[in-house]
């Protein structure tokens, strides 16, 4: 059996167990988060939709604080213990939420504050746990091995997300705290798999000189990663400033749609369990569609249309979707269609294209700028756009949705510009290579 797996996935000798453990590691992690996400979204409506803008602001502040703490931690402990500390910390937090949700009845003042805290906490959990997991894999995989196997491992993320969303969607009679318990169990599994991944990676080092270096790397601290270090690089580059604008518009479009989703689901579904199931159904549609699209269509779209349309097409389509929503509010089906198009398009088209934009950049920009975009810019964009959407909604839901349409069309145009700049750099690079 292994012989056929080695052939199908183009594995080198001894790589089977590393691939299996890594795929299961990512599967368990994304399943853990997928169990929490619809619960977070449902509990976020406990105090009313109007509170979401403050929850977004709270998430931004919490992200900045957590980034600083993680930076300190990374410079204080051994690399092999960093992942353990991050995962155990969040798992213990989940134990606390499990106990608190069982202790405080729905409708109580304590439950309202607990719901707000849980919403912000899950948003921070998503950022740090998933980022830490991929950093670990990048640390133990060689360049050649990552090129061959990361695509397969990424499929584990999609399948894990589908599994988690399916559980919340189909097991409607199961209480919120039981799903939290399942998420804790999955986090415990990832810790066990993490140790197996490091062990298998060490076994694959055939050169005697590589093994001590590998061990030494995990016995030393990672070093500080200042989330603001990329700011100075950004303000000196027109391309990177446009990139920041693209991320801000992306998060704005996502937030405007998220607010509309919250309005409709709060109106149509009366209980937290029903709302969690509704959010999970949307997640299930999105993750399944994204998985299919990533496997069969993304590479073909990129090859046929090029990066310009990967970055811009979704903005134009979702802009039209906002216009439809403005005239159909509060219908549920059009919302599900537009939400699904937006999220599927982001996972299967925009995200791969965003990663391509880093290729022409120097090594400092690739790491420092990316960290700044993923923390400060992304969560800051959420916070600001939530305030803007709330202000527009005071003039009517249709005004807010048409505002989202305008933002989305500008987002598409900026994506087209970035794609053109990327193509220019590729042409220059090819000319330079041809003269060598």
């Amino acid at each position: 059996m292994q012989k056929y797996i080695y052939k199908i996935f183009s594995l080198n000798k001894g790589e089977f167990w590393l691939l299996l453990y890594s795929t299961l590691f990512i599967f368990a992690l994304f399943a853990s988060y997928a169990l929490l996400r619809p619960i977070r979204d449902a509990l976020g409506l406990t105090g009313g939709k109007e509170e979401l803008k403050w929850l977004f602001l709270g998430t931004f502040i919490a992200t900045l604080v957590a980034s600083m703490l993680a930076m300190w931690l990374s410079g204080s402990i051994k690399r092999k213990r960093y992942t353990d500390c991050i995962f155990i910390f969040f798992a213990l937090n989940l134990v606390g939420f499990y106990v608190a949700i069982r202790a405080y009845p729905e409708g109580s003042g304590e439950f309202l504050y607990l719901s707000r805290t849980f919403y912000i906490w899950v948003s921070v959990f998503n950022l740090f746990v998933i980022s830490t997991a991929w950093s670990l894999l990048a640390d133990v995989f060689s360049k050649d091995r990552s090129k061959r196997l990361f695509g397969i491992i990424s499929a584990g993320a999609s399948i894990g997300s589908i599994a988690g969303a399916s559980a919340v969607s189909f097991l409607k009679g199961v209480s919120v705290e039981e799903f939290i318990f399942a998420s804790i169990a999955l986090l415990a599994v990832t810790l066990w798999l993490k140790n197996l991944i490091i062990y298998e990676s060490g076994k694959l080092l055939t050169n005697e000189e590589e093994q001590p270096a590998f061990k030494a790397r995990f016995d030393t601290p990672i070093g500080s990663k200042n989330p603001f270090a990329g700011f100075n690089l950004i303000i000196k580059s027109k391309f990177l400033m446009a990139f920041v604008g693209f991320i801000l518009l992306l998060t704005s479009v996502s937030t405007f749609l998220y607010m509309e989703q919250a309005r409709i689901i709060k109106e149509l579904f009366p209980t937290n369990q029903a709302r969690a199931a509704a959010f999970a159904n949307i997640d299930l549609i999105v993750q399944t569609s994204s998985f299919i699209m990533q496997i069969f269509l993304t590479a073909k779209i990129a090859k046929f249309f090029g990066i310009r349309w990967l970055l811009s097409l979704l903005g134009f389509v979702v802009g039209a979707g906002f216009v439809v929503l403005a005239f159909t509010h509060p219908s549920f089906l059009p919302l599900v269609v537009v939400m699904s198009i937006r999220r599927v398009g982001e996972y299967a088209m925009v995200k791969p294209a965003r990663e391509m934009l880093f290729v022409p950049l120097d090594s400092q920009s690739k790491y420092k700028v990316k960290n700044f975009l993923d923390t400060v810019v992304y969560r800051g964009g959420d916070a600001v756009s939530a305030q803007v959407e709330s202000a527009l909604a005071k003039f009517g839901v249709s005004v807010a949705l048409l505002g989202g349409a305008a933002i989305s069309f500008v987002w598409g145009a900026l994506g087209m510009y970035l794609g053109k700049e990327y193509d220019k750099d590729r042409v220059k690079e090819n000319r330079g290579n041809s003269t060598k």
Side-chain angles (χ1 to χ4, degrees), residues 316-330:
F316 300 136
V317 172
V318 172
F322 268 115
V323 175
V324 172
L325 292 179
F327 291 98
T328 59
H329 175 84

Side-chain angles (χ1 to χ4, degrees), residues 306-324:
I307 191 172
R308 298 183 194 184
W309 286 104
L310 279 181
L311 289 168
S312 63
L313 182 60
L314 183 63
F316 300 136
V317 172
V318 172
F322 268 115
V323 175
V324 172

Side-chain angles (χ1 to χ4, degrees), residues 79-98:
R79 186 184 299 248
K80 65 182 178 183
R81 299 296 177 214
Y82 178 77
T83 304
D84 295 341
C85 289
I86 295 292
F87 282 28
I88 290 171
F89 171 78
F90 281 105
L92 290 175
N93 288 175
L94 277 175
V95 172
F97 282 119
Y98 175 82

Side-chain angles (χ1 to χ4, degrees), residues 81-236:
R81 299 296 177 214
Y82 178 77
T83 304
D84 295 341
C85 289
I86 295 292
F87 282 28
I88 290 171
F89 171 78
F90 281 105
L92 290 175
N93 288 175
L94 277 175
V95 172
F97 282 119
Y98 175 82
V99 173
I101 288 176
R102 292 179 70 91
Y104 298 126
E106 288 190 33
S108 66
E110 293 85 357
F111 189 84
L112 175 59
Y113 284 106
L114 179 64
S115 298
R116 293 166 177 165
T117 304
F118 187 76
Y119 185 97
I120 293 172
W121 179 90
V122 172
S123 301
V124 176
F125 166 89
N126 168 41
L127 178 66
F128 281 91
V129 171
I130 292 176
S131 175
T132 300
W134 282 111
S135 294
L136 170 70
L137 294 181
D139 221 6
V140 300
F141 275 68
S142 65
K143 289 182 179 179
D144 170 69
R145 196 169 289 139
S146 64
K147 288 178 183 177
R148 289 185 290 107
L149 304 184
F150 266 23
I152 303 166
I153 295 169
S154 296
S158 296
I159 298 170
S161 298
I162 292 168
S166 299
V168 180
S169 175
F170 297 131
L171 301 176
K172 295 179 182 178
V174 177
S175 64
V176 165
E177 56 265 32
E178 300 308 322
F179 285 122
I180 292 177
F181 181 80
S183 182
I184 296 169
L186 286 167
L187 274 181
V189 170
T190 61
L191 278 175
W192 172 63
L193 289 167
K194 164 252 175 185
N195 292 321
L196 291 175
I197 289 168
I198 294 176
Y199 173 74
E200 288 297 328
S201 299
K203 280 175 58 180
L204 291 174
L205 298 174
T206 53
N207 189 328
E208 291 184 1
E209 295 179 358
E210 292 178 333
Q211 292 181 355
F214 181 82
K215 185 177 184 299
R217 188 164 82 248
F218 283 92
D219 283 335
T220 55
I222 297 172
S224 299
K225 293 181 178 179
N226 187 345
F228 295 97
F231 180 73
N232 289 333
L233 295 171
I234 288 172
I235 60 176
K236 295 175 183 177

